[in-house]
Amino acid sequence: MTALLDVGCRVPDLAVDVGDVCAAVDADPRLLWTFRRFYGLESVRRAPDEDLRGLMTAAVRSLTALRGNEHRIRYVVLARTVTTVTRAGQTPLEDVCAALGLPNAVAFTLTQHACATGLLAVDLAGQLLAGDGDPDALALVLTGEKVFNPILEIIPESTVMGESSAACLVALGGDRDRLLGYATRTLGRYAEQFPPHALDPRFLKDHNEVLAGVVRDAAHAAGVTVDDLTLILPHNVNRLSWSWTCRLLGIPLDRVYLDNVAVTGHCFTADPFINYVHARAAGRLRPGDLYLMASVGLGATFSAAVWRH
C-alpha cells in the first residue's frame, strides 16, 4: 500500500502583498478587491534569489526520514504544473539528484494534470514501487515552481501564485499516512483554460460541483464517507471556492485547512503537501485520522486522495 514516509516543505520568508502582485501585471483594481474581500488572499511567499533547483533541494533537505536512506531512492518524480519551467539546456531535476547524492534514482518529470499533477505523481510513485519488487525501495516526489513569467502571477477570477515547494518520500507501506483511495476526473473541454486568458464562465460554474464529486469518489474508493474525514488539505486557490464546495459536500468549512490561503497563495502542485506539514505541526492530525488531499488543475483535472494518518 502506498504511504507517505515523510513530507517536507520550503516556504520562503519574503511575503509579497497581493496588491503589489496585481500592480505588477496591471490587473483591474476590482480584481484586487475581490481577491482581498471575498477570496481571503493577503500575500504570497516569493524567493527572488532562489531558483527552482534551490527550492526543490531545500524542500528535500527538510525530509528527516531521507537522511541515511538516499541509496534506497529508486524514483524521483518532478510533478509540474507548467510544461516548460527552465531555459533549454538546463537540467534542474538532474542537478537536484546530483546535489542530494541519489546514485540509484531514475528521475523524470510528470505533467499534463496541471496543479493536480502532485497527487498523480504520488499515486504513480506507489505503483512504480509496487511493480519494482523491492520492498525497501523509496520514491521522491517534488512539487512547486517559480513564477518565472508575468502570465503566471495570477489566475484571473481565481488566485495569486506563490513560490513555496514541497517534497514527499513515498514508500510501499508504513505505520501511518497510507493511501486508501484516489480519484481523478478530467474535463477536456477546458483544455485551453490557461492564463492570461479569463476563465470560461462554464468552468467557474462546474468547478465546485465536479470537485465535490471527485472528493466523494475518493472517499468511496477508500471505503469511507465524506463525513468520516477529519480534515481536508486543499489546493489554496481561495476561501470562497472551498466555502461553496463544502456546502455541496454538506460539511463545515472549518474541516478544510485554510490557514495558508492568506499567506502563501496558490503554490502550483505543492499546496496539499505544504498544508499537510503545517496541519501536522499544528496538531490538526492525530494517529488514525482520515484526511483528504484535493487539487484542481486548469485544463481541467480534478483529483483527490484519502489517507489514514
Side-chain angles (χ1 to χ4, degrees):
M1 180 180 290
T2 302
L4 297 176
L5 188 61
D6 198 3
V7 182
C9 67
R10 159 73 168 134
V11 178
D13 294 329
L14 179 63
V16 180
D17 188 272
V18 295
D20 295 333
V21 177
C22 288
V25 295
D26 197 25
D28 189 319
R30 291 174 296 181
L31 180 60
L32 174 59
W33 184 83
T34 299
F35 281 163
R36 283 180 168 155
R37 178 68 177 82
F38 290 107
Y39 290 177
L41 297 163
E42 297 176 7
S43 65
V44 294
R45 297 297 179 93
R46 296 285 176 87
D49 298 324
E50 197 167 24
D51 61 11
L52 181 60
R53 289 171 295 186
L55 280 175
M56 292 191 295
T57 301
V60 175
R61 291 196 189 283
S62 71
L63 295 170
T64 57
L66 178 60
R67 297 166 195 166
N69 289 309
E70 290 84 357
H71 64 287
R72 296 172 58 191
I73 300 297
R74 188 62 50 85
Y75 303 100
V76 180
V77 187
L78 173 55
R80 283 185 183 170
T81 293
V82 183
T83 304
T84 302
V85 295
T86 59
R87 296 179 183 274
Q90 293 182 346
T91 56
L93 182 56
E94 290 82 353
D95 294 345
V96 169
C97 290
L100 295 170
L102 306 178
N104 302 316
V106 174
F108 62 94
T109 294
L110 189 65
T111 182
Q112 298 301 318
H113 278 202
C115 289
T117 308
L119 293 179
L120 172 67
V122 172
D123 182 63
L124 177 62
Q127 294 184 51
L128 290 171
L129 291 173
D132 197 64
D134 182 358
D136 292 325
L138 302 173
L140 184 60
V141 173
L142 308 176
T143 59
E145 291 161 43
K146 293 285 292 183
V147 183
F148 64 89
N149 189 298
I151 67 173
L152 299 176
E153 295 278 2
I154 64 174
I155 299 177
E157 298 95 29
S158 183
T159 195
V160 181
M161 305 303 294
E163 290 184 340
S164 299
S165 61
C168 301
L169 195 57
V170 182
L172 267 182
D175 296 330
R176 66 178 191 185
D177 296 313
R178 298 183 300 276
L179 178 61
L180 304 182
Y182 171 69
T184 186
R185 190 184 311 174
T186 297
L187 303 184
R189 60 182 174 273
Y190 301 120
E192 303 302 321
Q193 292 293 291
F194 286 94
H197 307 294
L199 298 182
D200 189 320
R202 294 173 300 171
F203 172 72
L204 297 174
K205 179 179 181 297
D206 289 343
H207 177 279
N208 303 315
E209 293 181 357
V210 177
L211 177 56
V214 170
V215 167
R216 293 191 189 97
D217 290 344
H220 179 75
V224 301
T225 70
V226 174
D227 289 334
D228 295 322
L229 301 174
T230 298
L231 193 64
I232 292 178
L233 303 174
H235 64 317
N236 297 338
V237 283
N238 62 69
R239 185 180 180 86
L240 182 61
S241 174
W242 275 103
S243 175
W244 289 338
T245 302
C246 284
R247 292 179 187 177
L248 294 171
L249 291 171
I251 61 174
L253 183 61
D254 62 9
R255 205 177 296 180
V256 183
Y257 186 81
L258 296 171
D259 296 35
N260 283 331
V261 169
V263 294
T264 65
H266 179 30
C267 303
F268 298 94
T269 56
D271 285 340
F273 309 109
I274 295 171
N275 288 334
Y276 169 88
V277 174
H278 291 179
R280 181 183 60 187
R284 295 287 301 273
L285 289 172
R286 296 166 298 182
D289 280 350
L290 292 167
Y291 65 96
L292 178 140
M293 294 181 176
S295 284
V296 178
L298 294 180
T301 299
F302 301 74
S303 297
V306 174
W307 310 78
R308 186 179 295 280
H309 187 53

